[in-house]
Amino acid sequence: MTRAFDPTGGKPGQVRFFLPGPVWVRDAVRQAMAHEAIGHRGKAFADLYSRIPPRLARVFRTNGFVFTTTSAGTGLWEAALLNLMPERILALASGAFSERWAACARDLGLAVDVLEAPWGSAIAPDEVRRALGRSRYDAVTVVHSETSTGALNDLAAVARTVRDASDAFVLADVVTSIAGSPVECDDWGLDFALTGSQKAFALPPGLGLAFASDRFRARAKERSRAHYLRLSEAEAFAEQHQTPYTPSTPHLFALDVQLDHILDETLEARWARHDALRGRVAAWAAERGHAYAAAEGSRSWTVSCLKPRPGISAEALVARVKERGYTIGGGYGKWKASTFRIGHMGDVDLASLEGLLAALDESAGEAAA
Ligand code: PLP
């Protein structure tokens, strides 16, 4: 039994916003952003920033270095690559975001081989092992929770395989997994793990959060070609409780409040709540005949990507439920017309999800294909 905790901070049953990011934001977090202006080289800022990395490290489950920057998640894809400057990358791709990270590496002029799995499936660690046996790679990119398909890779197993089979760095996008489902940066041997504030951290968009391992930081010191997102600078400034460039201070006030909320719920209880939310969607989908895009056993805890039962149009369903005041995600990329996505991450409670599912049931009759 998890103890009674109101994740919504006073609005149980009232959440209507279920995008797979950006997500619904609690009142207390929004109010924290309205803090009066402070300078980022003064004591007030240092006091604020000194509180952030130690608690962030608890969420990333590391004794190592975690930093924040004013950036979308995509900026941290670039940061991972530009700080490491790998000779050759193995990009694991099984959906739109993992494909885009590979494209990001190519845009930076890096050598990339893509190991592809069909959209909706998880990457098989054995395939990764074989690929690592064929060529020498010094970095592997992997997206933990593929938000476009709702598939969850076994990041622990992939990281273990990479470590066993090579000395490549494990660069992980944990954008829609961390703070919603288990991510263990130290225990899993990750080298870089990145997210954005607008996912299971349940903050407004605009803040990038990332962990970097000791060996990543050591190599970055020698090889980095990054400027704005140069890790060694972020680290040097963090020691003085500052950021190298003007930070979005409102986001940091919000993060300060939200880290207390997350740790007060406890990470384990937060994971359990997300597990219960995905379990409820799974039971509902099975009863209604909506099919998961991802196989059972490799489904994200934070986003469910569903193909509506025959006769229902996914796009019409998204539109009809919107008329009832509920926002859900449409399909992504090539799955735009054929799927809909329910984001159930952050500070959403089960009672609110029940409201959404009831609204989807009502809408289904008006969403003929
Ligand atoms: N990676 C994943 C798994 C995502 O879901 C997203 C956005 O939805 C991104 C990366 C990109 O994040 P951003 O839009 O903050 O750049």
Side-chain angles (χ1 to χ4, degrees), residues 20-21 72-75 77 97 100 143 145-147 173 175-176 196 198-199:
T74 302
W77 281 348
F97 291 102
R100 272 172 51 189
V143 172
S145 163
E146 221 336 320
T147 319
D173 169 323
V175 169
T176 48
Q198 76 277 23
K199 306 291 186 177

Side-chain angles (χ1 to χ4, degrees), residues 93-96 117-123 146 148-153 292-296 298-299 305 307 334-335:
S94 56
W119 273 44
S121 67
I123 305 279
E146 221 336 320
S148 59
T149 67
L152 187 72
N153 277 309
Y292 269 87
E296 196 171 351
S298 53
R299 289 181 190 154
C305 178
K307 300 175 191 169
K334 66 184 184 187
W335 282 7

Side-chain angles (χ1 to χ4, degrees), residues 240-295:
Q240 310 302 317
H241 310 309
Q242 291 189 5
T243 56
Y245 310 109
T246 311
S248 174
T249 316
H251 278 94
L252 295 173
F253 281 120
L255 179 61
D256 189 35
V257 165
Q258 187 64 347
L259 282 168
D260 274 352
H261 179 74
I262 291 171
L263 296 173
D264 190 25
E265 181 175 20
T266 79
L267 216 44
E268 288 78 5
R270 199 172 175 84
W271 297 338
R273 178 166 52 79
H274 283 79
D275 194 18
L277 292 167
R278 71 159 173 167
R280 179 65 192 107
V281 174
W284 169 82
E287 279 166 18
R288 302 297 186 273
H290 305 311
Y292 269 87

Side-chain angles (χ1 to χ4, degrees), residues 4 76 82 89 119 123 131 141 150 166 185-186 214 239 243 245 307:
L76 288 172
L82 284 175
I89 299 166
W119 273 44
I123 305 279
T141 61
S166 73
C185 286
D186 285 355
D214 290 350
E239 280 165 17
T243 56
Y245 310 109
K307 300 175 191 169

